[in-house]
Amino acid sequence: MKSHQTPQTMKPATAAKKLGVYLEATPAAFQEGVVSRTELNALQTDPPEWLVELRRNGPHPRPVVAAKLGVSISGLARGGVTEALTTEQIEALKKEAPEWLERERATQAEVRKEAARIKEKNQEKNAERGEQPRPPRS
């Protein structure tokens, strides 16, 4: 007996997150439908003009804004940034370099430094035990 497999689909919000775009800025057809894995793969490998434009100019979702500014999402919130920003607004913020941004960048640098220290310490501990290093999480 053959089983009929239905294609795996996701909500537009999930697809937008995977594509790194702000859902409210996507076309209505994208927001109102469902996206199959095949469609998502096609959007990633051969993005339509609207997707290229969104990725280039925004508005960008908070995770993308945080990454472009070199801070955490929490750091954005502490700095009062709660909305999606365009590339132009992000560049203006970088030039302006408000105190909160500099503080959050320093905090983020410390977090990265500490994470690297812990990773190195764990690798040394594993080497002493003769364990193989774990592959990085994706």
Side-chain angles (χ1 to χ4, degrees):
M1 182 178 276
K2 279 189 174 178
S3 63
H4 231 321
Q5 282 192 332
T6 57
Q8 188 179 11
T9 60
M10 62 193 84
K11 294 177 183 175
T14 304
K17 188 175 183 179
K18 289 180 182 286
L19 292 169
V21 295
Y22 187 56
L23 178 62
E24 285 76 14
T26 61
F30 181 86
Q31 292 179 36
E32 295 163 1
V34 293
V35 181
S36 71
R37 279 266 178 222
T38 307
E39 291 168 331
L40 179 68
N41 290 340
L43 287 169
Q44 288 173 324
T45 55
D46 187 24
E49 187 57 38
W50 64 264
L51 182 54
V52 171
E53 190 63 25
L54 264 182
R55 286 178 170 167
R56 182 182 309 124
N57 298 318
H60 303 286
R62 286 180 305 150
V64 174
V65 173
K68 286 180 179 272
L69 290 173
V71 300
S72 66
I73 296 172
S74 301
L76 280 181
R78 285 190 292 270
V81 178
T82 57
E83 299 298 316
L85 298 179
T86 63
T87 301
E88 192 176 300
Q89 291 169 313
I90 293 168
E91 292 305 317
L93 252 178
K94 284 180 179 178
K95 281 184 182 169
E96 189 181 303
E99 184 184 325
W100 71 265
L101 181 57
E102 296 303 318
R103 187 174 55 246
E104 291 300 332
R105 281 180 167 170
T107 300
Q108 191 68 10
E110 285 299 314
V111 168
R112 286 189 192 114
K113 197 165 131 182
E114 180 64 8
R117 185 191 68 77
I118 291 170
K119 181 178 178 182
E120 187 177 314
K121 183 178 175 184
N122 287 339
Q123 286 175 338
E124 288 171 5
K125 207 182 286 185
N126 291 340
E128 288 172 8
R129 291 189 208 145
E131 294 178 13
Q132 293 295 320
R134 291 183 184 163
R137 286 193 231 167
S138 41

